[in-house]
Amino acid sequence: MDSRRDFLQKLAASAVTLPFLPITASAARNAFYGQSCQGPVLRVAIMGLGSYGTRVAKAMQSCKRAKLTGLISGTPSKIKDWQAKYNIPEKNCYNYENYDQIKDNPDIDAVYVITPNALHREGVLRVAAAGKHAICEKPMSVNARQGQEMVDACRKAGVKLLVGYRMHFEPNTLEIVRMRNEGEFGKVLFFQGLSGFRIGDPKQWRLNRELAGGGAMMDIGIYSVNGARYMTGEEPEWVTAQETKTDPVKFREGVDETIQFQMGFPSGAVASCLSTYNMNNLDRFFLNGEKGYAELQPATGYGPIKGRTNKGELTHPHIAHQTIQMDEMAGIILENKKPVIPVNGEEAVKDLVIIDAIYEACRTGKRQALSL
């Protein structure tokens, strides 16, 4: 068994000496993963083996173009469990002190950073310094300034920075974007985004300002911020916002409970959105145009996403969002594919600029001008 494993590892290593491989080398490389597919496979290490990292790893088992090949965690027991489950060799496992050593590991092309928000910046900067592509969970950082630092570092290192906007690849969402682009709704007039749920354990990191960078807006409200942009196809020119807090014990200073926010777009379209950690059953997008409408409900959950337009129900079958996301990101990284809706770091900085402005609007009570 050991000799067979060694042979396969050597076979895989010999197949990755060039960034763009001929078909014969790709076939050898894919054989290492027990997967038959066209083109090279993106080899990914996951940093942060928590609940969402677990979801991503499970979904990646169905990927054709991306495979889990490395682990980064501060919890040795998690690494052992994941090694056994996903057949990850010891040499591809790291902790938060030594993962800079991935620079010398040809089994890893990219690292998916799935740590608390405030740790994203350091993770991406170190991954870039190691010469590996970075995939970062959203929000990309806790403010736009840090986000831009991450974009600049990856550009300087010559690596790609992508962000985990899984909805940008979701089929029903993309069908609405297609219909809008082709003018089927006419002039867009209005968008509504409702994003919220009642959060549980008050001791979790999402309610810790130092780790989360805020509250509901950073976790769930960002879906409506981002959704307003890709559903209307425009960048907002201004934002206003109002914060409501009913439980200051659970939602301490700097941790937002509920924020209502409004945005205006160059065409005259407006958006009205809600972000909350204190109400359930809020996962809905609605787009209204002069000729028709589109609705998604649920709009951003793990699926299945359900939707309809003035022309009828949306019927695309459900596939795990993270499976589609990681296969599509493999194409972006390895073949420079261009997604319909961007998922790069620059896209994420725009969301952070808007979120910064939403917090400032809450603080001052004044409309904030935007230039994206």
Side-chain angles (χ1 to χ4, degrees):
M1 180 64 73
D2 289 342
S3 61
R4 178 176 180 273
R5 184 184 299 111
D6 292 340
F7 168 76
L8 290 174
Q9 290 172 348
K10 290 176 182 177
L11 179 65
S14 69
V16 296
T17 55
L18 297 176
F20 296 99
L21 304 172
I23 291 177
T24 54
S26 294
R29 182 183 187 186
N30 295 335
F32 172 60
Y33 299 104
Q35 189 89 37
S36 176
C37 61
Q38 294 293 320
V41 171
L42 182 70
R43 299 160 301 176
V44 179
I46 289 181
M47 178 191 298
L49 310 184
S51 60
Y52 193 70
T54 299
R55 184 178 291 274
V56 171
K58 181 178 179 181
M60 286 183 68
Q61 290 180 298
S62 300
C63 284
K64 303 295 185 184
R65 300 294 310 278
K67 289 297 166 186
L68 177 63
T69 61
L71 307 172
I72 302 171
S73 174
T75 308
S77 60
K78 286 185 179 181
I79 288 181
K80 291 298 182 184
D81 290 344
W82 281 51
Q83 277 188 273
K85 185 170 184 178
Y86 298 107
N87 194 28
I88 307 297
E90 185 69 32
K91 65 185 182 63
N92 292 358
C93 298
Y94 302 88
N95 59 44
Y96 293 128
E97 285 70 48
N98 67 10
Y99 70 85
D100 309 274
Q101 296 173 15
I102 59 172
K103 68 180 184 297
D104 300 317
N105 192 332
D107 289 349
I108 297 171
D109 302 313
V111 176
Y112 195 161
V113 179
I114 313 179
T115 54
N117 304 338
L119 305 181
H120 290 175
R121 174 183 173 275
E122 178 188 3
V124 168
L125 295 185
R126 289 173 65 181
V127 167
K132 304 296 184 179
H133 302 292
I135 303 170
C136 184
E137 193 43 43
K138 63 189 178 307
M140 187 171 71
S141 192
V142 296
N143 57 52
R145 177 184 56 79
Q146 287 193 9
Q148 189 60 51
E149 289 176 7
M150 296 159 71
V151 169
D152 294 342
C154 289
R155 183 182 297 121
K156 182 178 180 180
V159 299
K160 286 186 169 65
L161 171 57
L162 306 182
V163 182
Y165 289 114
R166 57 188 168 82
M167 304 314 300
H168 291 201
F169 305 107
E170 196 280 317
N172 290 310
T173 300
L174 290 176
E175 175 63 11
I176 292 174
V177 171
R178 182 199 66 77
M179 293 176 69
R180 187 209 66 225
N181 285 340
E182 294 184 7
E184 295 186 34
F185 304 129
K187 177 181 171 61
V188 173
L189 304 172
F190 174 73
F191 171 79
Q192 181 187 52
L194 305 177
S195 301
F197 63 92
R198 289 185 65 89
I199 197 165
D201 181 9
K203 297 181 180 179
Q204 63 182 282
W205 69 263
R206 289 175 180 82
L207 295 175
N208 181 331
R209 182 184 182 183
E210 297 303 314
L211 289 176
M217 180 60 62
M218 301 299 288
D219 180 32
I220 191 71
I222 189 172
Y223 285 101
S224 281
V225 171
N226 187 249
R229 296 174 54 225
Y230 65 68
M231 292 285 277
T232 64
E234 295 188 83
E235 301 295 5
E237 295 183 314
W238 57 261
V239 63
T240 56
Q242 308 82 37
E243 181 177 5
T244 302
K245 187 171 291 191
T246 65
D247 187 349
V249 175
K250 187 173 186 177
F251 303 100
R252 298 183 296 276
E253 181 70 23
V255 179
D256 50 288
E257 174 189 322
T258 300
I259 293 178
Q260 298 175 74
F261 61 98
Q262 304 78 38
M263 293 185 279
F265 299 87
S267 68
V270 292
S272 177
C273 303
L274 176 68
S275 164
T276 184
Y277 264 162
N278 204 30
M279 305 178 210
N280 283 329
N281 308 309
L282 291 176
D283 184 9
R284 179 178 183 263
F285 285 177
F286 180 78
L287 185 73
N288 192 43
E290 288 183 331
K291 296 180 182 179
Y293 71 89
E295 179 184 33
L296 291 171
Q297 186 175 10
T300 63
Y302 294 137
I305 300 301
K306 296 183 179 180
R308 61 192 176 101
T309 74
N310 54 291
K311 295 188 175 181
E313 298 291 323
L314 298 173
T315 58
H316 290 280
H318 173 67
I319 301 173
H321 299 165
Q322 297 80 7
T323 301
I324 303 174
Q325 171 194 326
M326 296 308 295
D327 271 341
E328 290 297 318
M329 285 185 168
I332 294 169
I333 290 174
L334 297 174
E335 299 169 349
N336 288 312
K337 287 183 64 177
K338 301 297 181 184
V340 173
I341 309 172
V343 291
N344 54 33
E346 290 84 357
E347 172 82 357
V349 169
K350 292 178 181 179
D351 283 340
L352 291 170
V353 168
I354 296 170
I355 291 174
D356 286 350
I358 288 171
Y359 283 138
E360 185 65 8
C362 288
R363 188 184 71 83
T364 64
K366 298 180 179 178
R367 174 187 290 198
Q368 302 296 307
L370 296 168
S371 179
L372 299 175

